[in-house]
Amino acid sequence: MDRFDRTYRLNALLSTSREAHSAASLQAELGCSRATLMRAIAELRNLLGAPLVYDTAANGYRYDGQMQPRVQLPGLWFSAAELQALLLVQNLLAGLAQGLLPEQIDALRGRIMTLLARGGVSPQRTAQVVRILPMAGRAYDPQVFRQVVAATLAGQRLDIRYLARSSGQVSERQVSPQRLVRYRDNWYLDAWCHRREALRSFAIDAVHAAQPQDEPAKALPEAELDAHFGAAYGIFAGSAPQRALLRFAPSRARWVAAEQWHPAQFGRWLEDGSYELFVPYGDPRELLLDVMRYGAEVEVLEPPALRAEVAARLRAAAVLYGPAPE
């Protein structure tokens, strides 16, 4: 038990009972010497301002219920393991702070750093040994993101100006925010679109303006949201009436077998070491991209339409590189 854990444990022992604890019983509970116990008591009193008194009549230590701590540091309530978790959180926040509520996250990181320092833990160590590498994240307007977050949390309707990248058209929409979703290093807003009278998913980076309205948002049941946004493959919403059968070569099988492509997927090993993966899907666009990144290490067996589309794209790609050298 390290110094911080010992202080944390001593506080827990004294907080759970109003009776006085003898020095011998506290030593036994903490597994420490009398000198170490005295240092922990001094730390609780002097550094953390705990109302710790010695009851001469009971010949033991207790918290005085009539006294209030001079200083109550939040670091007192975190164990060493919890501080280690905070180390990882502050490192994650460092990556998210780029464009995402930077002032607020920087303030939160500062508070975490203070807790870590008071617990004797070095945040710099985590920065050296932990790396979080975002990939393919798209830039978005922090002000727009703040407005989207505010409307979603407050349950307010939101007027947005949205760019549909597939067509290049910009449209004005009023939406009822339902959920914010972080997917593949990008943020999306799941919302009821009052223009389309249907659920839609909007990429935050494609929202060029956002203004919360006073009118309350239309609230939809969680089950309905899960059924709409959770059935299809990837970010695309809707039902998943089709099922793809993919066969991965032995050289790639061990990696794919450990991955989750879809909550309702099913996989099986074949005798030659290859791996077959069954994946439900509706809109095939994202599935096509994921399949094609494996090149010759995957074969689409079903359905025929998906197989034909992958084959056509691969032939088109081969044309770009010309004939193979003889």
Side-chain angles (χ1 to χ4, degrees):
M1 187 180 299
D2 64 19
R3 177 183 63 84
F4 197 77
D5 276 338
R6 187 176 296 109
T7 305
Y8 182 90
R9 175 62 177 156
L10 178 58
N11 170 73
L13 290 171
L14 297 171
S15 298
T16 55
S17 173
R18 294 186 177 182
E19 297 181 358
H21 299 259
S22 68
S25 67
L26 291 175
Q27 285 179 240
E29 288 283 353
L30 300 177
C32 65
S33 66
R34 185 177 182 85
T36 300
L37 172 63
M38 292 301 106
R39 284 195 295 270
I41 288 174
E43 187 168 71
L44 272 178
R45 282 175 173 164
N46 303 327
L47 297 182
L48 304 178
L52 177 55
V53 298
Y54 180 74
D55 189 330
T56 55
N59 191 28
Y61 297 89
R62 62 177 174 81
Y63 277 163
D64 188 341
Q66 304 301 316
M67 297 174 60
Q68 295 296 325
R70 296 189 305 274
V71 179
Q72 185 173 336
L73 298 180
L76 172 62
W77 317 117
F78 292 94
S79 67
E82 290 166 338
L83 283 172
Q84 291 170 3
L86 276 180
L87 276 168
L88 297 178
V89 169
Q90 75 90 22
N91 197 265
L92 176 61
L93 288 175
L96 289 179
Q98 298 177 359
L100 168 60
L101 307 179
E103 299 87 359
Q104 293 83 347
I105 286 186
D106 281 345
L108 179 57
R109 288 184 62 212
R111 295 181 184 181
I112 292 177
M113 298 279 275
T114 300
L115 292 178
L116 295 172
R118 287 171 177 168
V121 181
S122 171
Q124 290 75 21
R125 176 61 178 165
T126 302
Q128 294 169 357
V129 301
V130 176
R131 287 289 184 269
I132 298 172
L133 303 175
M135 182 178 180
R138 299 185 296 269
Y140 44 82
D141 185 340
Q143 179 61 30
V144 167
F145 188 83
R146 280 191 286 269
Q147 298 285 25
V148 172
V149 171
T152 304
L153 295 178
Q156 298 173 301
R157 293 194 185 193
L158 187 68
D159 286 345
I160 63 173
R161 187 163 68 248
Y162 188 73
L163 167 66
R165 286 199 173 92
S166 58
S167 63
Q169 295 182 345
V170 177
S171 61
E172 306 286 340
R173 310 281 189 101
Q174 183 171 98
V175 301
S176 286
Q178 305 294 318
R179 293 171 173 169
L180 282 167
V181 179
R182 178 80 171 178
Y183 178 72
R184 295 194 178 187
D185 284 327
N186 287 290
W187 285 97
Y188 297 85
L189 174 67
D190 290 344
W192 176 266
C193 177
H194 293 275
R195 177 179 173 180
R196 301 296 187 190
E197 288 296 314
L199 284 167
R200 292 289 188 270
S201 184
F202 299 93
I204 300 298
D205 58 279
V207 178
H208 289 182
Q211 182 61 50
Q213 302 300 305
D214 293 332
E215 190 174 356
K218 175 177 179 172
L220 298 176
E222 288 287 316
E224 183 175 346
L225 296 175
D226 289 340
H228 182 79
F229 291 110
Y233 183 86
I235 197 61
F236 293 104
S239 62
Q242 302 189 78
R243 188 178 71 164
L245 172 56
L246 315 174
R247 178 181 295 165
F248 291 87
S251 58
R252 183 53 52 184
R254 287 188 295 275
W255 282 268
V256 174
E259 297 173 352
Q260 178 172 306
W261 288 42
H262 190 279
Q265 71 184 38
F266 169 75
R268 66 186 181 191
W269 288 94
L270 302 181
E271 291 184 359
D272 63 355
S274 58
Y275 186 78
E276 288 188 343
L277 181 65
F278 297 81
V279 181
Y281 75 98
D283 190 313
R285 284 176 288 175
E286 189 171 352
L287 179 58
L288 283 166
L289 293 176
D290 285 341
V291 168
M292 292 186 63
R293 67 191 176 100
Y294 287 99
E297 293 181 300
V298 63
E299 180 184 1
V300 178
L301 301 180
E302 297 177 4
L306 184 66
R307 180 182 175 90
E309 180 63 25
V310 171
R313 294 190 178 203
L314 290 175
R315 283 193 294 268
V319 170
L320 295 177
Y321 294 92
E326 296 182 358

